[in-house]
Amino acid sequence: IDTKPHNAYYDRPAMLSLLPDIAGKRVLDAGCGPGAYTQELVARGASVVACDASERMLELAAERLKRIGSPETAEFRLLDLTQPLAMFQGEEFDVIHAALCLDYIADWQSLFLEFHRILKPDGVFLFSCGHPAFDADYFETKAYFSVERVECTWTGFGKQVLMPSYRRSLEEILSPVLEAGLRVEAVHEPRPTE
């Protein structure tokens, strides 16, 4: 995640450019993975709850923060985003940050309703996902307007890993946001950094 071009030079610069001032704010880093964003959120002064569905990813994220000397500034929780977020109180978070994790969840409507519930009224929900035009072409879809389970092979881990995800149309990206009572303030299609 630190050097893979898609993460390091495309998604991360774009997501960080949209992040509001989070100093002193409570932030949910949903789908934190190995903690690259968690580290940045902590560095910007946030109180972070980093969650992931993978125990190994949480271990890697915690190790990352220990290496930089900031483990006490983040809380790590095993969390399945396909289930209700009952462990969180209403209006608990100032910011919900979800980078490149939502493509692995079929039902955005239920999840976004939960995000709306736990987000403060003036809070920010910032997420990134696959681009519908790229994904439709890459997965050679014949059903653009549906949420479609797809698979690709990841090869950067020493062995090949078949990774399932969900491809969706632009409408299926934006409608769950609006139906959950959230408001779209920006849509950013990033360009790779130099």
Side-chain angles (χ1 to χ4, degrees):
I1 192 170
D2 291 320
T3 58
K4 182 181 175 193
H6 181 75
N7 297 98
Y9 306 115
Y10 183 68
D11 184 72
R12 195 168 315 117
M15 287 289 283
L16 294 176
S17 75
L18 296 170
L19 197 64
D21 178 9
I22 56 171
K25 304 286 185 178
R26 186 157 168 82
V27 177
L28 176 65
D29 188 10
C32 69
Y37 281 108
T38 305
Q39 178 181 348
E40 183 64 33
L41 297 168
V42 166
R44 292 181 183 217
S47 170
V48 180
V49 177
C51 64
D52 203 280
S54 165
E55 289 184 22
R56 181 64 181 138
M57 287 296 126
L58 291 172
E59 290 170 8
L60 292 170
E63 289 170 14
R64 176 186 289 268
L65 262 62
K66 285 179 187 168
R67 282 195 309 271
I68 64 165
S70 298
E72 71 285 347
T73 56
E75 175 186 338
F76 298 95
R77 291 194 188 185
L78 188 64
L79 183 65
D80 181 349
L81 293 173
T82 66
Q83 301 300 312
L85 307 179
M87 71 290 303
F88 298 126
Q89 300 294 316
E91 301 181 7
E92 183 172 341
F93 293 97
D94 298 288
V95 175
I96 297 174
H97 177 273
L100 297 178
C101 67
L102 300 177
D103 291 326
Y104 306 100
I105 297 170
D107 176 13
W108 283 14
Q109 282 85 4
S110 297
L111 176 60
F112 288 7
L113 282 168
E114 280 291 276
F115 281 168
H116 184 262
R117 181 185 66 78
I118 65 174
L119 194 61
K120 292 181 181 177
D122 59 346
V124 172
F125 170 36
L126 178 62
F127 72 94
S128 60
C129 62
H131 193 287
F134 173 84
D135 286 354
D137 184 55
Y138 181 82
F139 293 111
E140 299 178 352
T141 187
K142 303 289 188 248
Y144 173 79
F145 292 103
S146 63
V147 175
E148 177 181 36
R149 187 177 188 276
V150 294
E151 295 178 339
C152 66
T153 303
W154 289 2
T155 58
F157 301 97
K159 63 178 181 175
Q160 292 188 352
V161 176
L162 188 62
M163 194 64 192
S165 62
Y166 295 90
R167 184 217 53 79
R168 62 193 78 229
S169 67
L170 180 61
E171 181 178 351
E172 289 292 339
I173 291 171
L174 295 176
S175 291
V177 173
L178 302 172
E179 290 167 5
L182 300 163
R183 185 177 71 237
V184 176
E185 291 187 1
V187 175
H188 181 52
E189 293 181 298
R191 281 72 169 173
T193 61
E194 288 299 318

